[in-house]
Amino acid sequence: MSIALIYVCIQRLPDAPAARWAEIGLCLLYVAGLGAVFKLSSLRALSLVFALLYGAALAYGFFFKDQFSLLLILQGFLTSFIALKLPDLLSALEAGTFLMITFVLLVYDQDYTWVSLLRQELFIHIGLYALMRTVRINRGRDIERMEHAEEQRRNAEELTVVHAELAQTHDQLRRAHEELERATLQSLRYAVLEERSRIARDIHDSIGHRLTSVIVQLQALPYVLRNDEAKSAEIVKNVLGVARSCLQEVRTVVHNMGVDETGAGAVSVRSLVQQTTSSFDLDITLDLDESEDQDIWPLDTAVVLYRCLQEALTNTIRHAQAKRVEVSIKRSGEEIMLHYRDDGELASGSDLHEGFGLNGIRKRCSEAGGRCEIGAQEPHGFGMNIWLPLAALKEKETYG
């Protein structure tokens, strides 16, 4: 545009020196002014620059009336830049105002007619205005597409960063989950080891003491035999009583410890509850029917009860956000019943996703010939009911 403007000015240089230098100055002013509008963003500043340029061209036409046609040429450049830089209504208003002023001056001062101006000059300026408006619209669309593409690129980069952070967080959570599982299993194993250590101390304190008494009485027996036969018979009777008591206690302890490799059974259930309570922020109430002789529980029953309770506690610790757990294990006829409740966040009526652990509970109960109910409780929390048939298990143990 600047080259075209300079070329037009050079082609139209008048012969008179004053008019020539004035036209050169006016063209240079237009080149500088129209070049400056690309650096301006304020609508007020742009409108002011366009008005000053038009005023300079108008002044040139008044001083050099024979060069008034240059005003129309500069008016065309001005109209083009107004259409390109100003918004719709403002550009139409400013360009129309300048053109109307020019037409009035040409009609009343230069012997132009309205018909000739409307037929030729008006259509030229309207065409220039429409062309530059189209350029502005297309350029605006290109800028919007570029900005949209740039925004999409930034969003893609942000999503990539977020995805990487999520992947890292997921990996950290997975490792924490694995560590929590290992810690949970280790705590449960430690509960059994602690209970066995307690049983070992009990054996040492009780059975060891009784066996020491047996040894002392047996050592004294030869001397008593020579002096007092009645006393000797009493010593033998006492020794036999103590020995039988020790044997019965040893059998009971060995049976409880030998339920399975983790020490499941009534003793291990109590130890599991005690250790879980001390290791986690969880209040566990255990209602274990002490009136029944747990020694008559079949080994498979003790294993299933222990494993199911262990998995339920693990599930509560990992998922429920619970503070309290109620466990009840009772015998009714030929069945053992385990009732488990926690006060976790599981809402009543909501679907419970049963993973590997809960499916394992169902499978254990089914293989033991029992039944299992698992689900959400009123008003909230996880619940589990297990019934295991003693008679069927005993029969299975007896007849294979």
Side-chain angles (χ1 to χ4, degrees):
M1 295 289 285
S2 299
I3 295 174
L5 180 60
I6 294 173
Y7 176 77
V8 171
C9 291
I10 292 175
Q11 290 295 320
R12 292 184 49 83
L13 285 176
D15 295 331
R20 178 179 298 181
W21 287 110
E23 183 173 329
I24 292 173
L26 181 62
C27 289
L28 293 176
L29 177 64
Y30 260 71
V31 171
L34 295 179
V37 299
F38 289 101
K39 299 180 180 180
L40 299 175
S41 58
S42 171
L43 296 179
R44 180 177 297 179
L46 289 171
S47 299
L48 181 60
V49 170
F50 291 140
L52 291 175
L53 292 177
Y54 178 71
L58 201 62
Y60 175 82
F62 274 113
F63 282 106
F64 305 98
K65 296 184 180 297
D66 58 338
Q67 300 296 324
F68 215 96
S69 60
L70 180 62
L71 178 61
L72 289 173
I73 297 175
L74 296 177
Q75 181 86 46
F77 282 97
L78 201 59
T79 299
S80 300
F81 274 83
I82 289 174
L84 186 63
K85 296 299 293 181
L86 295 180
D88 296 332
L89 182 61
L90 183 59
S91 64
L93 181 62
E94 189 161 1
T97 301
F98 292 164
L99 190 61
M100 182 59 65
I101 294 173
T102 302
F103 282 2
V104 170
L105 292 175
L106 289 175
V107 169
Y108 291 100
D109 195 55
Q110 294 294 320
D111 297 329
Y112 280 82
T113 64
W114 283 105
V115 175
S116 63
L117 289 175
L118 294 177
R119 283 180 177 178
Q120 184 176 355
E121 299 298 335
L122 180 63
F123 282 106
I124 291 175
H125 283 78
I126 290 176
L128 289 173
Y129 180 86
L131 176 63
M132 299 312 293
R133 289 304 300 174
T134 303
V135 171
R136 174 186 170 90
I137 292 172
N138 292 335
R139 189 172 68 175
R141 290 175 179 173
D142 292 339
I143 292 174
E144 288 180 357
R145 284 194 293 268
M146 292 176 60
E147 291 177 348
H148 182 65
E150 179 65 20
E151 184 178 359
Q152 286 184 327
R153 185 188 64 80
R154 290 196 301 268
N155 290 338
E157 292 178 352
E158 292 176 358
L159 287 175
T160 301
V161 173
V162 171
H163 182 269
E165 292 177 352
L166 287 176
Q168 182 180 4
T169 303
H170 178 267
D171 187 58
Q172 293 175 350
L173 288 174
R174 180 182 56 80
R175 290 196 298 268
H177 171 72
E178 293 174 352
E179 292 176 359
L180 178 60
E181 284 189 335
R182 287 194 296 268
T184 301
L185 293 176
Q186 187 65 26
S187 297
L188 298 178
R189 292 192 185 102
Y190 176 74
V192 176
L193 292 176
E194 185 179 83
E195 183 64 17
R196 288 183 172 181
S197 297
R198 186 190 65 79
I199 294 172
R201 289 194 300 269
D202 291 344
I203 291 175
H204 177 271
D205 295 340
S206 61
I207 300 177
H209 174 74
R210 295 178 187 178
L211 291 177
T212 301
S213 174
V214 169
I215 293 172
V216 171
Q217 292 186 69
L218 289 176
Q219 288 176 341
L221 185 59
Y223 302 100
V224 176
L225 284 173
R226 289 194 294 267
N227 300 316
D228 190 346
E229 293 183 2
K231 186 65 173 179
S232 301
E234 184 181 352
I235 291 176
V236 171
K237 182 179 179 180
N238 291 337
V239 168
L240 287 174
V242 173
R244 290 191 182 97
S245 176
C246 291
L247 178 61
Q248 180 61 34
E249 188 166 349
V250 168
R251 284 176 176 173
T252 301
V253 172
V254 170
H255 174 74
N256 289 333
M257 294 182 66
V259 170
D260 71 341
E261 72 277 7
T262 60
V267 174
S268 293
V269 164
R270 284 193 294 269
S271 178
L272 172 62
V273 170
Q274 292 171 359
Q275 182 60 32
T276 306
T277 302
S278 62
S279 299
F280 301 95
D281 185 17
L282 198 61
D283 181 16
I284 305 175
T285 302
L286 174 62
D287 183 9
L288 185 60
D289 194 351
E290 300 289 352
S291 63
E292 300 289 345
D293 185 3
Q294 285 89 9
D295 290 341
I296 67 174
W297 291 3
L299 300 182
D300 290 345
T301 302
V303 171
V304 172
L305 286 175
Y306 183 88
R307 291 303 191 193
C308 291
L309 177 59
Q310 184 183 53
E311 182 57 41
L313 288 171
T314 303
N315 183 77
T316 296
I317 292 169
R318 289 171 54 190
H319 305 296
Q321 302 295 323
K323 295 296 184 182
R324 181 174 177 80
V325 173
E326 295 180 358
V327 181
S328 173
I329 302 177
K330 296 182 180 297
R331 179 182 176 186
S332 176
E334 294 301 317
E335 280 188 331
I336 293 181
M337 300 177 295
L338 186 149
H339 299 286
Y340 183 96
R341 300 286 184 277
D342 69 32
D343 61 350
E345 297 178 347
L346 183 64
S348 174
S350 61
D351 294 332
L352 177 62
H353 175 69
E354 296 189 12
F356 181 80
L358 297 183
N359 286 330
I361 292 177
R362 292 189 182 277
K363 184 176 180 181
R364 285 181 182 274
C365 293
S366 177
E367 291 177 350
R371 63 189 190 278
C372 176
E373 293 179 354
I374 297 175
Q377 302 299 309
E378 292 284 354
H380 59 84
F382 169 79
M384 178 180 71
N385 297 322
I386 292 175
W387 296 268
L388 298 177
L390 287 173
L393 291 172
K394 287 182 179 180
E395 184 178 350
K396 180 180 177 182
E397 288 180 358
T398 305
Y399 301 106

